[in-house]
Amino acid sequence: MKDMLSTKLKSVLIVSIILGGFFLLLELRTGLPIYFIFVMVYAFIGNVVYGIPVSFLSDFVTMKIGKNRFIFASLFYLVFGFLPSILLGELGIYAVICSLLFFLSEEWQRMRKHNRGIKPANKVMITNTLSTVILFSLAIYGSMTVSGPLFEKHTNEVYLIPKGYEGEVRVVYNIKDAPRPKKSEDFDIYRMNEKGYILSPLPEREGIINNQYFYIDKEGNKERIDDSCINYGGSEGVQIDDYEYSSTYFTVTNTHCSETFTVDGDPDLPRGISLEGIIKEEGLDKPKN
């Protein structure tokens, strides 16, 4: 038992050094290679807490399997290396890589111990190598595929803009007393006022832009706005009396729609009310009683 634990601790060190060394090489170009230290520490902790128990479990499950033990063991490590992707998201790929390195380290030490002076058959080595490469390549691909849909964030906002309005449109976030937007599935619905802005009590959403834009008339009839009529702006913040106000903005048109407008906008369109102007207009800059 002591020898087995020593072997597995050696595998932990090997994995941590290889992974940390890889990040060190990437960071040498920055002139400040520090991040690799954190990678090594987290890899070490993760492999001690998770990798070693999985390794012992693999040894127990596969110890009575004959010549196909290598394949079954690699599959075992693959499954348990892939599972953290469900919780770690984009970092799950590193769990798969650590699992592969841990497995290869264990097998290398096993081969040195039990096959001293005996050269493995070339056919067996080739089969085992190809099987490992294929299985773990699938696991890495699966980790990237799973982490994307599950953890990738989207903005998911619907903007209802007064029909005929042209110019800058803005949402101001984190306004405590503002009414909450209506919800439709995972989308927040914002109905802009006649001046092209709205206040929201929610924090600004982050992630891939996945918004929808509509003109709406006084009767509530909606008309989808084409993407060529939207010039994406960005985010803006301002601090007043130790409070940080944040907003997102974009520009909409119904007369200048084109790919050029989407990229460059149009300086002749109205700018709309600035974030500071909205704060003053809504009385947010006045001290609360």
Side-chain angles (χ1 to χ4, degrees), residues 133-144:
V133 169
I134 292 172
L135 289 174
F136 278 91
S137 296
L138 290 174
I140 291 174
Y141 175 78
S143 176
M144 296 171 64

Side-chain angles (χ1 to χ4, degrees), residues 223-254:
E223 177 186 351
R224 185 72 178 260
I225 301 174
D226 191 81
D227 288 343
S228 65
C229 303
I230 301 294
N231 171 247
Y232 301 101
S235 299
E236 186 180 12
V238 63
Q239 185 169 332
I240 299 178
D241 295 332
D242 297 326
Y243 190 85
E244 184 75 26
Y245 296 92
S246 65
S247 71
T248 58
Y249 62 93
F250 60 90
T251 304
V252 61
T253 184
N254 53 34

Side-chain angles (χ1 to χ4, degrees), residues 133-159:
V133 169
I134 292 172
L135 289 174
F136 278 91
S137 296
L138 290 174
I140 291 174
Y141 175 78
S143 176
M144 296 171 64
T145 303
V146 168
S147 64
L150 287 179
F151 297 93
E152 202 170 64
K153 294 182 179 180
H154 295 79
T155 54
N156 287 3
E157 292 180 336
V158 174
Y159 300 100

Side-chain angles (χ1 to χ4, degrees), residues 6-256:
S6 175
T7 298
K8 297 185 188 308
L9 286 173
K10 187 182 295 184
S11 295
V12 170
L13 288 173
I14 291 172
V15 173
S16 303
I17 291 172
I18 292 176
L19 203 59
F22 174 75
F23 276 88
L24 174 61
L25 292 175
L26 291 179
E27 292 181 325
L28 283 175
R29 288 179 292 178
T30 67
L32 190 64
I34 295 178
Y35 182 66
F36 82 97
I37 297 176
F38 295 99
V39 173
M40 291 180 66
V41 170
Y42 282 115
F44 183 87
I45 294 173
N47 279 289
V48 169
V49 174
Y50 186 73
I52 289 179
V54 168
S55 181
F56 274 116
L57 186 58
S58 173
D59 290 344
F60 176 77
V61 171
T62 62
M63 64 180 177
K64 294 184 179 180
I65 299 176
K67 61 181 181 178
N68 293 321
R69 185 205 60 80
F70 184 95
I71 301 300
F72 279 96
S74 65
L75 184 61
F76 193 92
Y77 275 86
L78 179 150
V79 171
F80 279 90
F82 176 76
L83 286 177
S85 298
I86 300 174
L87 297 176
L88 297 177
E90 294 179 357
L91 296 178
I93 188 173
Y94 295 108
V96 177
I97 293 172
C98 283
S99 180
L100 170 61
L101 294 175
F102 201 111
F103 169 70
L104 293 177
S105 174
E106 288 289 285
E107 292 302 316
W108 172 68
Q109 293 183 78
R110 182 190 299 271
M111 184 177 65
R112 289 191 63 191
K113 181 178 180 180
H114 297 289
N115 296 331
R116 291 183 179 179
I118 302 175
K119 185 178 180 181
N122 289 334
K123 184 178 180 179
V124 173
M125 289 185 64
I126 293 173
T127 301
N128 289 344
T129 300
L130 287 177
S131 301
T132 303
V133 169
I134 292 172
L135 289 174
F136 278 91
S137 296
L138 290 174
I140 291 174
Y141 175 78
S143 176
M144 296 171 64
T145 303
V146 168
S147 64
L150 287 179
F151 297 93
E152 202 170 64
K153 294 182 179 180
H154 295 79
T155 54
N156 287 3
E157 292 180 336
V158 174
Y159 300 100
L160 305 180
I161 303 165
K163 188 171 183 178
Y165 179 92
E166 284 191 295
E168 199 169 82
V169 178
R170 188 180 295 268
V171 180
V172 184
Y173 300 95
N174 294 315
I175 306 301
K176 183 178 179 181
D177 297 326
R180 294 183 67 87
K182 293 181 179 180
K183 296 281 291 187
S184 177
E185 297 180 351
D186 191 38
F187 283 80
D188 295 322
I189 302 176
Y190 290 110
R191 184 162 183 168
M192 305 297 160
N193 62 22
E194 295 297 324
K195 296 182 179 180
Y197 73 85
I198 190 171
L199 307 181
S200 171
L202 303 179
E204 178 182 345
R205 285 202 177 196
E206 298 178 347
I208 296 173
I209 295 177
N210 185 38
N211 300 329
Q212 298 175 12
Y213 308 87
F214 295 87
Y215 275 129
I216 186 168
D217 61 22
K218 294 180 179 179
E219 287 73 38
N221 300 310
K222 294 187 295 184
E223 177 186 351
R224 185 72 178 260
I225 301 174
D226 191 81
D227 288 343
S228 65
C229 303
I230 301 294
N231 171 247
Y232 301 101
S235 299
E236 186 180 12
V238 63
Q239 185 169 332
I240 299 178
D241 295 332
D242 297 326
Y243 190 85
E244 184 75 26
Y245 296 92
S246 65
S247 71
T248 58
Y249 62 93
F250 60 90
T251 304
V252 61
T253 184
N254 53 34
T255 57
H256 296 71

